[in-house]
Amino acid sequence: MKPDITNRADIEKLINEFYIKVRNDAVIGFFFNDVVKVDWDKHLPVMYDFWENILFHTGNYEGNPMEIHKRLNEKHKMNMQHFQQWISLFNKTVDEHFKGKNAEQIKTRALSIATVMQVKLFG
C-alpha cells in the first residue's frame, strides 16, 4: 500500500520525481530547459516550500506564481496543452508514489492553480 503525503520529506520526494518527468518531457520540458534555463538547486527548494504551504499551510512560501508565469508566457507563449501536460505529469507522479486524502488534495489544488493560471493568461 502506498503512503499518503504526510510531511516535507514526502513533498520533496514528490517534487523531485515530478521535475525529473518535466525535464524529460517533450511537451513542456523546453520551458524549463531552454526558455528559462532553470537553476534546479534554487528552484526545487522554492517548490518544496510552495507545495508544503499549499498542503500543510506552513506559511513558508512567499512569492507570486502568477507573475512568474505571466513573464514566462511573454518569453514563450503557453497554451492549454502545456497546462494539460503539466497536470497529467503531476497527477501521474502523485499516483505513482502516494495514496490518500492529502494525495488527492494536492492533485485537486494543482488542478485549481493551473485552471486559475489558464483563465488569467488566456481569458
Side-chain angles (χ1 to χ4, degrees), residues 41-60:
D41 290 335
K42 290 182 181 176
H43 185 65
L44 289 173
V46 172
M47 292 297 91
Y48 305 152
D49 288 348
F50 176 80
W51 288 106
E52 185 181 31
N53 186 55
I54 289 292
L55 195 57
F56 301 121
H57 311 286
T58 57
N60 61 349

Side-chain angles (χ1 to χ4, degrees), residues 14 18-19 21-22 25 27-28 32 51 79-95 103-118:
L14 168 63
F18 169 64
Y19 278 111
K21 287 178 178 56
V22 165
D25 187 74
V27 177
I28 63 172
F32 298 84
W51 288 106
N79 62 46
M80 301 286 274
Q81 181 188 11
H82 297 133
F83 282 93
Q84 290 168 352
Q85 185 66 3
W86 186 93
I87 286 294
S88 175
L89 293 173
F90 192 86
N91 288 346
K92 180 179 179 182
T93 308
V94 172
D95 291 342
E104 292 305 312
Q105 184 177 3
I106 204 167
K107 291 189 299 184
T108 299
R109 294 299 307 271
L111 178 59
S112 176
I113 291 164
T115 301
V116 168
M117 284 190 179
Q118 288 174 83

Side-chain angles (χ1 to χ4, degrees), residues 5-6 36:
I5 302 168
T6 59
V36 177

